[in-house]
């Protein structure tokens, strides 16, 4: 009996030693030490052992069982340690490894210029107002004193949604919205997208951007307009920039003017960009707000007067960054955009 127990114990210890997987060690535990396990069944055969020998055999069995259990636990611990080491190896972060530099995005050049323009006018005391891109015919044309037969109203120039709604053709309707909702004094700018039925070429796009300015108060006159715009041009484009006001026609202003600015390339000397004239033409439209426009918005034109101006943000972005093709602003080619 004694030999039987020792042999079995040695056989089990050898098996434990040889085990290569953690799962198998659990199997061994069940196979030998479980309720129906081989080692347990020896205990049941104790009846064949003489009374005197029983305590000794019982003790041997217990010692052997304990030894087996100890070895099983040791082996399980070895497996756990190996597992942990492998996990640490897998999950270690190498902080010295070369990291790929992640390119974060940035603002589109048009939005950068739009923001610079807004910031400049805010510094002059203007507030920034937003307006919808889908406008009423009333705000886009009627209240702006636009004659019913004005060519810009034609289907060939304007994207109509129905007979009363359209995609705004300029930012001027935001003037109307502001005057309808706010009492003078008013000093606002509004920038955003505008739409016209234009064929795409180097300088035209059916969607483009404008910024609009409006000042309404008592005693506002043409010299206020000229002073504001001259300050803007000098601050925004350079102290040596000159301006030239040419009489023009806009339905919503009277008198109206177009503003030319010293050529951005030669600063007025004359070069091939300005055809030798020294001027960049038609950078801005402006004028004194037509009394009909003030009255249409419920503002007393005898008490109040105002000036307004509008300009293309695309054009300003193009002269500022010497871009010769408007398509570049809308193609979203990363090679172009990454330069800003
Ligand atoms: N709305 C005009 C356009 O789209 C630009 C403009 C001209 C706006 C004169 C004005 C202005 O406010 O006074 O061409």
């Amino acid at each position: 009996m004694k030999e039987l127990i020792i042999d079995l114990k040695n056989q089990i210890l050898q098996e434990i030693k040889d085990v290569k997987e953690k799962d198998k060690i659990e199997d061994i535990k069940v196979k030998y030490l479980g309720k129906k396990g081989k080692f347990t069944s020896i205990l049941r055969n104790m009846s064949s052992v003489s009374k005197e020998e029983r305590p000794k055999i019982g003790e041997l069995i217990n010692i052997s069982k304990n030894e087996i259990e100890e070895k099983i636990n040791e082996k399980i611990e070895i497996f756990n340690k190996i597992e942990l080491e492998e996990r640490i190896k897998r999950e270690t972060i190498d902080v010295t490894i070369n990291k790929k530099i992640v390119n974060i995005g940035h603002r589109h050049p048009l939005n950068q210029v739009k923001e610079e323009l807004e910031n400049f006018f805010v510094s002059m005391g203007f507030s920034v107002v937003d307006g919808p891109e889908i406008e009423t015919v009333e705000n886009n044309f009627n209240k702006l004193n636009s004659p019913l037969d004005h060519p810009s109203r034609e289907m060939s120039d304007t994207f109509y949604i129905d007979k009363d709604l359209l995609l705004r053709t300029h930012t001027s309707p935001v003037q109307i919205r502001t005057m309808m909702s706010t009492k003078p004094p008013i000093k606002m700018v509004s920038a955003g997208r505008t739409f016209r039925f234009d064929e795409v070429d180097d300088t035209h796009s059916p969607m483009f951007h404008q910024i609009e300015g409006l000042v309404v108060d008592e005693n506002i006159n043409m010299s206020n307009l000229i002073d504001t715009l001259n300050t803007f041009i000098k601050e925004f484009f350079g102290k040596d920039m000159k301006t030239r006001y040419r009489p023009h026609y806009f339905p919503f202003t009277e008198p109206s003017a177009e503003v030319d600015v010293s050529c951005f390339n030669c600063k007025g000397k004359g070069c091939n960009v300005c055809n030798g004239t020294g001027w960049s033409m038609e950078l801005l439209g402006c004028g004194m707000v037509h009394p009909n426009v003030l009255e249409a918005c419920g503002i007393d034109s005898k008490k109040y007067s105002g000036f307004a101006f509008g300009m293309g943000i695309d054009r300003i972005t193009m002269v500022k960054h010497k871009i010769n093709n408007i398509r570049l602003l809308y193609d979203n080619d990363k090679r172009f955009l990454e330069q800003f």
Side-chain angles (χ1 to χ4, degrees), residues 201-205 314 318 324-330:
D201 65 23
D202 288 358
T203 54
H204 291 87
S205 157
D314 305 67
M318 288 170 78
N324 58 8
N325 193 330
I326 198 171
R327 294 178 184 91
L328 288 166
L329 293 175
Y330 296 103

Side-chain angles (χ1 to χ4, degrees), residues 169-170 172 175 196 210 212-213 250 252-253 285-287 308-310:
T169 58
H170 48 180
S172 302
Q175 286 186 27
R196 278 181 212 174
Q210 284 191 340
E212 186 83 16
F250 296 108
F252 31 90
T253 42
C286 63
F309 58 89

Side-chain angles (χ1 to χ4, degrees), residues 47 73 100 106 110 137 152 176 195 202 214 221 223 234 236 242 276 290 316 333 339:
S47 52
N73 289 340
K100 223 177 133 193
H106 59 88
L110 273 171
V137 172
S152 64
I176 300 297
F195 307 84
D202 288 358
L214 171 74
N221 57 40
S223 57
K234 284 186 193 302
F236 207 77
K242 293 194 173 62
H290 198 294
I316 289 178
D333 185 332
Q339 295 174 43

Side-chain angles (χ1 to χ4, degrees), residues 3 44 55 74 126 145 176 186 222 230 245 274 297 318:
E3 288 74 43
R44 285 194 212 106
E74 265 175 30
F126 287 74
N145 197 38
I176 300 297
I186 293 169
M222 195 80 185
N230 283 357
Y245 292 75
C274 58
C297 298
M318 288 170 78

